[in-house]
Amino acid sequence: MIEDWHLAQMNVGTFRFQPEDPRLAGFMDRLDDINALADQAPGFVWRLQSDSGNATDIDVGEGPLFVVNMSVWTSVAALTDFVYQTSHRDVMIQRRQWFEKPAGPYQVLWWIAAGHFPLPEEGLSRLRTLAASGPTSDAFSFSRQFPPPSSASVGDRPVGEKKSRRA
């Protein structure tokens, strides 16, 4: 059943400056508000955070300016609404002021069993899978989504993609 699955997401970035640099203030000063907005958003389940209340100070071994963000949602629609229909969108529009241009995918989505909260290593592995193989049911993006495993009776093909017919 669809209720047995939640959507995990990870996005990563490399700061252009040290976190305390005034040039990052436009991002850092918004973190608490954006995180509070996520916490109250319909469909929100969980987000990665340290004692600081966000994840920018969690070291995942990719360099001192590399940051991760992870969250879990009840559906792609819930996450999409938060990302593109709230003030979070304004932060995304300005991200190049604060983050280096990524060389590959910087966001990945994947389905997890409800009640599971992924570790950063899991998200980084999914991001590497997306970079190496493109979108699959194991690691996908907003632009090419896959259904939860329990509703994948259509096989390993994106939502909305038609099955080819054999003559």
XYZ file of all heavy atoms in Angstrom, residues 8-12 46-49 55 58-60 68-72 108 110 112 115-128:
285
model
N 11.924 9.889 0.556
C 13.120 10.518 1.122
C 13.716 11.426 0.053
O 13.624 11.143 -1.142
C 14.138 9.459 1.531
N 14.310 12.513 0.499
C 15.001 13.407 -0.429
C 16.291 13.867 0.210
O 16.373 14.034 1.417
C 14.132 14.594 -0.837
C 13.994 15.713 0.184
C 15.181 16.678 0.236
O 15.870 16.909 -0.747
N 15.424 17.248 1.405
N 17.293 14.032 -0.624
C 18.541 14.645 -0.188
C 18.921 15.668 -1.230
O 18.774 15.436 -2.426
C 19.671 13.628 -0.063
C 21.033 14.300 0.222
S 22.405 13.150 0.334
C 22.594 13.135 2.114
N 19.375 16.825 -0.748
C 20.015 17.767 -1.645
C 21.316 18.193 -0.986
O 21.443 18.189 0.231
C 19.100 18.943 -2.034
C 18.604 19.729 -0.863
O 19.328 20.524 -0.294
N 17.351 19.504 -0.471
N 22.292 18.459 -1.828
C 23.635 18.779 -1.356
C 24.117 20.051 -2.037
O 23.592 20.459 -3.073
C 24.624 17.626 -1.645
C 24.182 16.339 -0.967
C 24.798 17.411 -3.135
N 9.866 14.152 8.542
C 11.118 14.218 9.299
C 12.151 14.970 8.496
O 12.098 15.010 7.265
C 11.603 12.781 9.534
C 12.995 12.654 10.088
C 13.354 12.650 11.396
C 14.207 12.471 9.340
N 14.715 12.478 11.502
C 15.259 12.369 10.248
C 14.499 12.401 7.971
C 16.589 12.192 9.861
C 15.817 12.226 7.581
C 16.838 12.119 8.528
N 13.131 15.568 9.193
C 14.291 16.143 8.515
C 15.542 15.905 9.345
O 15.490 15.825 10.576
C 14.114 17.623 8.210
C 14.075 18.528 9.396
C 13.865 19.997 9.004
N 13.519 20.792 10.161
C 14.390 21.335 10.988
N 15.682 21.188 10.780
N 13.977 22.040 12.022
N 16.652 15.786 8.662
C 17.950 15.630 9.301
C 18.325 16.939 9.971
O 18.206 18.015 9.365
C 18.996 15.271 8.237
C 20.433 15.101 8.709
C 20.563 13.875 9.603
C 21.364 14.992 7.497
N 18.768 16.842 11.224
C 19.237 18.042 11.914
C 20.176 17.671 13.046
O 20.093 16.589 13.601
C 18.072 18.872 12.437
C 17.146 18.151 13.388
C 15.965 19.005 13.780
O 16.137 20.109 14.293
N 14.773 18.516 13.548
N 21.036 21.067 9.358
C 22.042 20.061 9.025
C 23.326 20.653 8.466
O 24.205 19.906 8.047
C 21.454 19.063 8.030
N 26.635 19.233 9.901
C 26.870 17.793 9.925
C 27.952 17.453 8.901
O 27.795 17.715 7.713
C 25.566 17.013 9.639
C 24.556 17.277 10.770
C 25.854 15.523 9.485
C 23.194 16.651 10.548
N 29.039 16.895 9.387
C 30.178 16.556 8.532
C 29.970 15.172 7.930
O 29.912 14.181 8.653
C 31.462 16.586 9.360
C 32.716 16.290 8.555
O 32.628 16.077 7.321
O 33.806 16.267 9.165
N 29.850 15.119 6.611
C 29.681 13.838 5.919
C 30.952 13.418 5.194
O 30.938 12.488 4.394
C 28.469 13.868 4.947
C 27.173 14.062 5.708
C 28.656 14.922 3.874
N 24.671 19.007 3.477
C 23.581 18.133 3.049
C 22.287 18.584 3.712
O 22.295 19.186 4.783
C 23.851 16.649 3.401
C 25.116 16.152 2.722
C 23.921 16.419 4.894
N 21.217 18.264 3.055
C 19.886 18.459 3.600
C 19.092 17.210 3.249
O 19.127 16.755 2.105
C 19.231 19.702 2.995
C 17.836 19.911 3.517
O 17.588 19.823 4.710
N 16.914 20.170 2.614
N 18.426 16.635 4.229
C 17.606 15.438 3.994
C 16.280 15.620 4.692
O 16.217 16.189 5.777
C 18.284 14.193 4.563
C 19.539 13.780 3.864
S 20.258 12.287 4.595
C 19.079 11.060 4.096
N 15.242 15.094 4.061
C 13.934 15.091 4.694
C 13.113 13.931 4.157
O 13.465 13.309 3.155
C 13.212 16.426 4.479
O 13.081 16.728 3.108
N 12.024 13.648 4.857
C 11.113 12.575 4.489
C 9.710 13.162 4.410
O 9.312 13.956 5.271
C 11.175 11.416 5.512
C 10.114 10.361 5.214
C 12.571 10.794 5.531
N 18.293 14.159 -4.949
C 17.828 12.811 -5.284
C 16.608 12.489 -4.434
O 16.493 12.931 -3.289
C 18.954 11.763 -5.084
C 19.370 11.663 -3.627
C 18.547 10.406 -5.638
N 13.967 9.084 -3.351
C 13.809 7.638 -3.361
C 12.766 7.260 -2.312
O 12.500 8.001 -1.387
C 15.133 6.913 -3.129
C 15.709 6.973 -1.755
C 15.636 6.002 -0.790
C 16.459 8.047 -1.152
N 16.291 6.406 0.349
C 16.805 7.655 0.158
C 16.873 9.303 -1.599
C 17.539 8.471 1.023
C 17.590 10.116 -0.749
C 17.926 9.701 0.542
N 11.221 5.008 0.740
C 11.666 4.273 1.920
C 10.439 3.711 2.635
O 9.330 4.234 2.483
C 12.476 5.169 2.885
C 11.655 6.383 3.330
C 13.797 5.599 2.250
C 12.301 7.222 4.423
N 8.495 4.963 8.514
C 9.149 4.749 9.797
C 10.662 4.673 9.715
O 11.341 4.741 10.739
N 11.196 4.548 8.510
C 12.655 4.531 8.331
C 13.138 5.970 8.147
O 12.529 6.741 7.424
C 13.022 3.703 7.102
C 14.469 3.792 6.718
N 15.484 3.277 7.501
C 15.074 4.343 5.642
C 16.649 3.508 6.915
N 16.433 4.152 5.785
N 14.223 6.316 8.816
C 14.816 7.636 8.663
C 16.244 7.443 8.149
O 17.098 6.917 8.861
C 14.781 8.399 9.989
C 13.376 8.544 10.501
C 12.952 7.843 11.613
C 12.463 9.337 9.833
C 11.652 7.941 12.066
C 11.151 9.449 10.278
C 10.745 8.750 11.395
N 16.497 7.836 6.908
C 17.789 7.530 6.279
C 18.950 8.311 6.882
O 18.785 9.438 7.352
C 17.565 7.924 4.821
C 16.473 8.938 4.862
C 15.607 8.581 6.029
N 20.106 7.694 6.836
C 21.342 8.353 7.240
C 21.927 9.094 6.043
O 21.638 8.752 4.888
C 22.350 7.314 7.737
C 21.952 6.560 9.004
C 22.949 5.429 9.272
C 21.873 7.510 10.186
N 22.766 10.089 6.280
C 23.377 10.804 5.160
C 24.098 9.892 4.174
O 24.041 10.114 2.967
C 24.347 11.775 5.843
C 23.743 12.018 7.183
C 23.118 10.691 7.570
N 24.744 8.833 4.661
C 25.452 7.914 3.775
C 24.498 7.272 2.762
O 24.859 7.051 1.609
C 26.169 6.831 4.587
C 27.269 7.355 5.486
C 26.769 7.998 6.794
O 25.596 7.802 7.174
O 27.567 8.725 7.415
N 23.295 6.965 3.202
C 22.294 6.394 2.304
C 21.920 7.394 1.217
O 21.835 7.048 0.040
C 21.047 5.981 3.098
C 19.979 5.340 2.259
C 18.757 4.927 3.067
O 18.800 4.915 4.317
O 17.730 4.603 2.428
N 21.709 8.634 1.605
C 21.381 9.659 0.625
C 22.504 9.899 -0.363
O 22.268 10.030 -1.565
N 23.741 9.934 0.127
C 24.883 10.133 -0.772
C 25.026 8.962 -1.738
O 25.349 9.158 -2.916
C 26.165 10.336 0.034
C 26.230 11.645 0.830
C 27.427 11.640 1.777
C 26.271 12.845 -0.100
N 24.755 7.762 -1.263
C 24.791 6.589 -2.135
C 23.721 6.705 -3.225
O 23.981 6.408 -4.396
C 24.584 5.321 -1.307
O 24.509 4.189 -2.140
N 22.534 7.140 -2.868
C 21.460 7.314 -3.856
C 21.819 8.408 -4.859
O 21.536 8.284 -6.051
C 20.143 7.661 -3.161
C 19.628 6.607 -2.216
C 19.137 5.374 -2.926
N 18.693 4.386 -1.953
C 17.671 3.578 -2.123
N 16.986 3.598 -3.254
N 17.341 2.716 -1.194
N 22.458 9.452 -4.381
C 22.877 10.532 -5.280
C 23.913 10.021 -6.274
O 23.845 10.330 -7.468
C 23.424 11.704 -4.463
C 23.630 13.009 -5.194
C 22.326 13.562 -5.758
C 24.251 14.033 -4.250
N 24.848 9.202 -5.805
C 25.837 8.601 -6.707
C 25.163 7.675 -7.720
O 25.544 7.628 -8.884
C 26.910 7.849 -5.907
C 27.888 8.776 -5.197
C 29.068 8.031 -4.600
N 28.710 7.205 -3.466
C 28.650 7.637 -2.202
N 28.940 8.887 -1.914
N 28.313 6.806 -1.235
